[in-house]
DNA sequence: ATTGATTGAGACACTATTGTCTCATTTTTG
DNA sequence: CAAAAATGAGACAATAGTGTCTCAATCAAT
């Protein structure tokens, strides 16, 4: 495939590029290599030294993001814990990665490695939903795809709430769990399975 | 601003262009004027005859979409009806416009007319949420912004569910109402305020 | 401090897309 | 059917972005 880059990359440079690219490409999917370089405080040539192609850059960042997400999804998923607790752990771990997440859905929807990584994540979430159904936390009649979609959206909305400053990370996770399981009805209080 | 177009446009041509553009730009935000013309079954020159610039095209479609959405949001919003019924009416009316909606959030986030139109919509939704809180359907302690964000996301998820074929429009609206108010808990049954 | 490697800046050719124009063809209107 | 108008097809210049390269400046490690 692509020849291994002749130049090594300085960790600080890599970090700057990755963060700038995620940030810019979220705000504007058509962001330019020049813009990314400028935002990263790096020469445009340096971008091309380490990522021959714009696609290579997006692809590399996509893989990085999906790996970060997958690692986070699995945090605190001990089979022993009640499913609701695992749900909360997942939210807590994943919500702070909301920008990564939206980058993935905007930019890397058609990359093979990313799609494959996403399937892994999907299976974890589906397994969790199945457990939630078994433990009677979620109505088995609701399509699993719907539940999974809600979880996805809740991650994004919760991240957005923290990044806009009207929610703390803890509030966001708690609100996400509550919204999914009990909804926003007034008397809906969390009442976890005994 | 832009001179009034010298050529009239045939309604069928306009329709074809608008639909093609919405469809293509949802799938690929960077879709080309050529691609849009081809998908619309129209010459590329015709596009430029009626929309001088690519921006003009996106802008015109954005305005059209936001107006369609605003009209739909207000369907069946008689002040007399219970807020939950109005919520359901809104979902029913808006969910079928999901593709319009995602077009707006992807393409027209920075257009002034669209932003202004979006504010109108936002106020309607906020008013509905306030009523839901007053009628004790939604916990007043939950931030209104969170509720509004959930409604937004539910519209998209529900539209997606119908377009992927695993939900009928009615199921989608019902599931959206239930998810928002009562959540997906097993024993959560709709119990509207007497 | 010196050496080796990474980076920044800019020039360059190449490609894709945009936006304008013209003219023949088709469609609509009367 | 005839006139007017809208469309399709293609040529065209202009622009913007990509990817490659070179060379001087800067940084890191010994």
């Amino acid at each position: 495939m692509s020849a291994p880059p002749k130049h090594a990359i300085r960790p600080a440079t890599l970090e700057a590029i990755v963060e700038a690219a995620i940030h810019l490409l979220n705000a504007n999917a058509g962001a330019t290599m020049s813009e990314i370089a400028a935002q990263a405080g790096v020469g445009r040539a340096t971008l091309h030294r380490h990522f021959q192609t714009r696609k290579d850059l997006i692809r590399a960042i996509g893989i990085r993001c999906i790996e970060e997400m997958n690692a986070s999804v699995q945090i605190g998923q001990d089979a022993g814990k009640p499913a609701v607790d695992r749900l909360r752990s997942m939210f807590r771990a994943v919500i702070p990665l909301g920008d990564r997440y939206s980058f993935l859905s905007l930019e890397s929807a058609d990359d093979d490695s990313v799609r494959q990584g996403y399937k892994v994540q999907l299976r974890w979430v589906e397994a969790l939903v199945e457990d939630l159904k078994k433990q009677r936390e979620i109505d088995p009649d609701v399509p699993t795809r719907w539940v999974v979609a809600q979880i996805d959206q809740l991650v994004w909305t919760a991240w957005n709430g923290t990044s806009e400053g009207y929610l703390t990370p803890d509030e966001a996770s708690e609100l996400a769990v509550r919204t999914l399981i009990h909804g926003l009805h007034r008397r809906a209080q969390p009442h976890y399975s005994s």
Side-chain angles (χ1 to χ4, degrees), chain A:
Chain A
M1 324 304 178
S2 43
K6 193 170 152 192
H7 293 258
I9 189 170
R10 298 212 261 255
T13 305
L14 177 59
E15 268 315 291
I17 291 175
V18 167
E19 290 306 318
I22 291 179
H23 185 256
L24 273 184
L25 291 172
N26 271 331
N28 166 21
T32 268
M33 294 295 266
S34 304
E35 293 172 326
I36 296 173
Q39 168 85 21
V42 147
R44 190 170 70 92
T46 301
L47 242 59
H48 283 288
R49 252 188 283 267
H50 303 296
F51 307 95
Q52 280 88 339
T53 274
R54 198 188 126 99
K55 280 189 182 176
D56 288 341
L57 172 62
I58 290 179
R59 183 186 146 81
I61 294 183
I63 292 174
R64 189 189 161 114
C65 285
I66 195 70
E67 281 173 357
E68 285 182 28
M69 295 273 313
N70 279 349
S72 292
V73 163
Q74 299 166 27
I75 290 180
Q77 297 298 303
D78 321 272
K81 288 201 306 186
V84 184
D85 291 346
R86 276 182 284 151
L87 178 67
R88 190 178 358 265
S89 299
M90 181 180 288
F91 275 133
R92 264 200 232 282
V94 172
I95 286 172
L97 303 181
D99 56 343
R100 262 69 173 166
Y101 190 78
S102 67
F103 170 84
L104 283 173
S105 45
L106 286 177
E107 301 294 332
S108 319
D110 51 327
D111 184 274
D112 252 356
S113 313
V114 173
R115 252 205 306 272
Q116 214 168 348
Y118 179 69
K119 277 186 195 163
V120 173
Q121 185 190 326
L122 194 59
R123 283 201 207 92
W124 276 90
V125 178
E126 279 174 351
L128 177 55
V129 171
E130 293 306 325
D131 284 354
L132 284 162
K133 287 185 173 179
K134 277 191 200 120
Q135 299 184 12
R136 308 257 162 144
E137 293 291 351
I138 283 188
D139 186 342
D141 291 339
V142 175
T144 295
R145 298 177 74 173
W146 176 264
V147 186
V148 172
Q150 290 310 313
I151 293 175
D152 270 14
Q153 303 285 22
L154 282 164
V155 169
W156 159 255
T157 315
W159 174 78
N160 205 47
T162 61
S163 83
E164 288 189 3
Y166 74 89
L167 290 176
T168 68
D170 277 357
E171 288 171 345
S173 313
E174 208 50 48
L175 204 42
V177 173
R178 168 182 171 176
T179 303
L180 185 74
I181 308 268
H182 302 287
L184 304 178
H185 192 274
R186 188 156 208 251
R187 53 175 129 169
Q189 293 304 329
H191 46 95
Y192 306 91
S193 57
S194 66

